[in-house]
Amino acid sequence: MTPKELVLQAVSALFIDFDPEAAKKLLAPDYIQHNPAVPTGAAAIIGFIPALQESGVTATIHRVIAEGDLVVLHTTYDNAQAFGAETLVAFDIFRVEDGKVVEHWDNLQPAVPASETANGNSMTDGATEVTDLDKTTENKALVEGFVRDVLNGAASERITDYVSTETYTQHNPLVGNGLDGLAAALAAMAEAGQVMAYTNTPIVVAEGNFVFIASEGVLGETPTAFFDLFRIENGKIVEHWDTLSEIPSEMAHENGKF
């Protein structure tokens, strides 16, 4: 199986079929967990399967990208009170090794209906098809440059080197479409004392026209995890999805958020 196939089977066993035996075959016993609320090890998540089934949680996968041993899923969880809200949008990252899923990171955020967002888009709609596989390397380099210059502030004036000035579709519920929408949102956050700063981006996964990053930083004074997905077209970022969540000081394991 490819890493994608393995991860999709594991997610199906956990959240669709609710099949502990299938999950046990797909997860390494020493599965490393980074979700702050879930203990590490395969036994913990497998033991939670009956409660998940009882809760009625459902998972809808919108996007799947993979690079090497890492697979990223963009997912909506409904009936997700067990995770903290009725409906949650999530990015899940899985690492595969020797035919098993061995590590997991995620970031979940309560969903906002498209009718209530600043851009009229939902947090998950938009393009889904992976294309331009021959441009994976250059698209990854583009986003890494955007992280360095814009998100980390090395040369924020270079934003138009990275983001299209013609089409920039935004799925963050608080940010309008286009560069003007982004600038207005950042100004409003700064005025409210909620300055957003990215300090480290330990995970980057690229496949064709999609590049995903997982970063840590701060929102105001709150330690925050930022998970972002970008779509690139003709050498510019043209679409963006994200989730963000506070990084708690106490977790159910010692693995950290990242």
Side-chain angles (χ1 to χ4, degrees):
M1 283 189 290
T2 66
K4 272 188 185 180
E5 291 169 338
L6 179 60
V7 165
L8 289 171
Q9 283 199 20
V11 170
S12 180
L14 290 168
F15 298 107
I16 298 172
D17 301 327
F18 304 106
D19 186 340
E21 290 305 312
K24 189 174 182 180
K25 295 176 182 177
L26 296 164
L27 303 182
D30 55 354
Y31 176 82
I32 302 168
Q33 179 65 259
H34 295 276
N35 180 302
V38 180
T40 200
I45 189 65
I46 292 171
F48 197 42
I49 288 176
L52 289 175
Q53 185 172 21
E54 179 74 17
S55 74
V57 66
T58 61
T60 303
I61 298 171
H62 306 285
R63 293 167 187 84
V64 185
I65 68 168
E67 182 183 13
D69 60 358
L70 295 176
V71 180
V72 178
L73 305 187
H74 191 196
T75 304
T76 297
Y77 293 100
D78 289 299
N79 299 316
Q81 291 88 343
F83 300 146
E86 174 69 24
T87 302
L88 288 161
V89 176
F91 284 107
D92 290 274
I93 313 164
F94 299 89
R95 183 169 65 86
V96 173
E97 186 177 286
D98 297 330
K100 301 278 189 180
V101 179
V102 297
E103 193 164 8
H104 170 249
W105 303 259
D106 64 358
N107 220 36
L108 300 97
Q109 181 177 333
V112 177
S115 61
E116 299 176 16
T117 68
N119 45 57
N121 306 314
S122 82
M123 294 175 68
T124 57
D125 61 7
T128 59
E129 183 182 2
V130 175
T131 62
D132 299 333
L133 291 176
D134 60 324
K135 296 180 179 178
T136 296
T137 300
E138 65 186 85
N139 288 341
K140 185 175 186 178
L142 177 82
V143 170
E144 289 175 332
F146 176 71
V147 170
R148 180 189 64 247
D149 289 341
V150 179
L151 297 182
N152 291 346
S156 56
E157 71 277 2
R158 293 190 59 196
I159 188 169
T160 55
D161 291 350
Y162 303 104
V163 179
S164 172
T165 58
E166 298 176 2
T167 302
Y168 181 50
T169 304
Q170 181 64 252
H171 296 274
N172 180 304
L174 300 178
V175 182
N177 289 316
L179 283 176
D180 288 346
L182 177 60
L186 292 175
M189 291 169 64
E191 186 176 346
Q194 291 292 304
V195 175
M196 181 175 63
Y198 286 57
T199 56
N200 183 36
T201 300
I203 300 174
V204 182
V205 180
E207 185 179 15
N209 57 328
F210 286 99
V211 181
F212 168 84
I213 63 172
S215 308
E216 56 184 323
V218 293
L219 183 59
E221 297 182 356
T222 303
T224 300
F226 303 96
F227 283 25
D228 297 90
L229 179 65
F230 303 94
R231 182 170 66 86
I232 293 87
E233 190 174 274
N234 298 322
K236 299 283 187 175
I237 296 169
V238 297
E239 195 163 12
H240 169 250
W241 302 259
D242 67 349
T243 61
L244 57 87
S245 67
E246 179 178 349
I247 301 175
S249 58
E250 295 185 7
M251 303 187 188
H253 49 70
E254 297 181 356
N255 302 324
K257 179 73 174 180
F258 292 94

